[in-house]
Amino acid sequence: MSRQLFLDTETTGLSADQGHRVIELACVEMIDRRFTKNNFHTYLNPERDIDPGAQQVHGISIDFLADKPLFAAVAEEFLAYIGDAELVIHNAAFDVGFLNAELARVKKPAIDKGSGKRAILDTLKMARDQFPGKKNSLNALCERFEIDNSARELHGALLDAELLGEVYLALTRGQNSLDIGINAGAKKANAIELKRPDKLKVLLATEIELKHHANIVAGLQKTSGGKAVWALIEEAKQV
């Protein structure tokens, strides 16, 4: 069983080293590439002010957080929830740095250290590897993969974690076989099995379809200056 958690935080500012704190923490669970709805989400009282620039990004006010729990009150629950799951984070250094600072305050081990050697995937790095030189923010990736992010008027840890899960599936779609989620792992009762037929029916193009195809290729050949891929394929067949 492959358990992954898409994690995101919102904070009082940009630097944990300068004493900024986590004010929202969310994890969205996926098992074997299926969302389970067994998510973790909490707002946190940071015991300090929120930078105006940060509040413009996430819209969370200190008044809203006044009655929310301190990180110390949820630390055990959070660590029990994540267990040994793989964490998937966009710009992982930022969130991991903040969470480790929070854990250090309550004398808990950092999430990226220890004997377990937790796997942490950074989708920002993955996106930069796949799309070098392009914008790879969460919004840019949602647009690239046609993922609906219309509800994201402001940053929010839970919504962003959910969107990140969709982005991750799109980023890794080519790495998995056709039967993921159907035949993956142990077989279950009533599971659907895909079987290749013993004989495959071959449908040949009609004369009209072939002629139409030839006209299209000729047009592409003309507009591309003789570089139409289909024309090159036809030439290769004749060699």
Side-chain angles (χ1 to χ4, degrees):
M1 179 180 72
S2 173
R3 182 174 185 251
Q4 295 172 299
L5 299 176
F6 300 94
L7 183 150
D8 191 59
T9 65
E10 298 300 336
T11 64
T12 62
L14 294 176
S15 176
D17 293 337
Q18 295 178 5
H20 284 290
R21 305 289 300 273
V22 175
I23 58 175
E24 186 184 7
L25 171 59
C27 297
V28 170
E29 183 183 64
M30 176 186 288
I31 295 179
D32 294 335
R33 295 180 70 84
R34 288 181 178 271
F35 295 111
T36 66
K37 298 185 179 180
N38 174 33
N39 302 333
F40 179 93
H41 179 232
T42 185
Y43 290 100
L44 299 164
N45 185 335
E47 300 181 287
R48 60 155 292 156
D49 292 335
I50 300 172
D51 280 2
Q55 188 167 341
Q56 287 181 357
V57 171
H58 50 60
I60 302 172
S61 70
I62 194 64
D63 290 339
F64 172 77
L65 299 172
D67 62 346
K68 301 303 184 287
L70 303 181
F71 183 83
V74 303
E76 290 287 355
E77 180 186 0
F78 169 66
L79 291 173
Y81 172 81
I82 65 174
D84 59 357
E86 178 180 63
L87 302 182
V88 185
I89 309 170
H90 202 66
N91 191 13
F94 179 87
D95 298 272
V96 170
F98 268 94
L99 286 172
N100 283 346
E102 294 288 355
L103 289 165
R105 288 187 181 94
V106 295
K107 296 180 172 52
K108 298 294 182 182
I111 60 174
D112 58 344
K113 293 182 174 63
S115 59
K117 296 182 179 180
R118 176 188 308 284
I120 297 178
L121 281 180
D122 189 342
T123 49
L124 179 58
K125 182 180 184 304
M126 293 171 62
R128 285 173 174 170
D129 289 343
Q130 286 195 35
F131 309 107
K134 295 186 177 181
K135 291 182 179 180
N136 288 300
S137 66
L138 189 58
N139 276 339
L141 291 170
C142 285
E143 182 177 352
R144 189 168 302 147
F145 291 122
E146 298 183 350
I147 295 168
D148 182 10
N149 65 339
S150 57
R152 195 184 189 232
E153 295 180 4
L154 294 170
H155 288 218
L158 183 58
L159 175 60
D160 288 1
E162 291 171 343
L163 291 172
L164 181 59
E166 298 289 351
V167 165
Y168 172 81
L169 288 175
L171 280 170
T172 59
R173 192 169 290 140
Q175 301 176 14
N176 299 277
S177 62
L178 183 63
D179 65 350
I180 281 178
I182 298 177
N183 294 328
K187 292 183 178 179
K188 301 178 182 179
N190 300 321
I192 301 172
E193 293 191 28
L194 297 178
K195 293 184 178 180
R196 184 185 180 91
D198 294 331
K199 293 183 179 180
L200 294 176
K201 186 176 181 180
V202 178
L203 298 176
L204 299 177
T206 66
E207 290 295 329
I208 294 176
E209 290 170 338
L210 288 172
K211 186 175 181 179
H212 184 56
H213 171 73
N215 290 336
I216 292 175
V217 172
L220 291 173
Q221 185 76 333
K222 182 178 180 180
T223 56
S224 66
K227 298 179 181 179
V229 174
W230 275 107
L232 296 175
I233 294 173
E234 294 299 328
E235 291 176 4
K237 288 180 180 179
Q238 296 173 10
V239 174

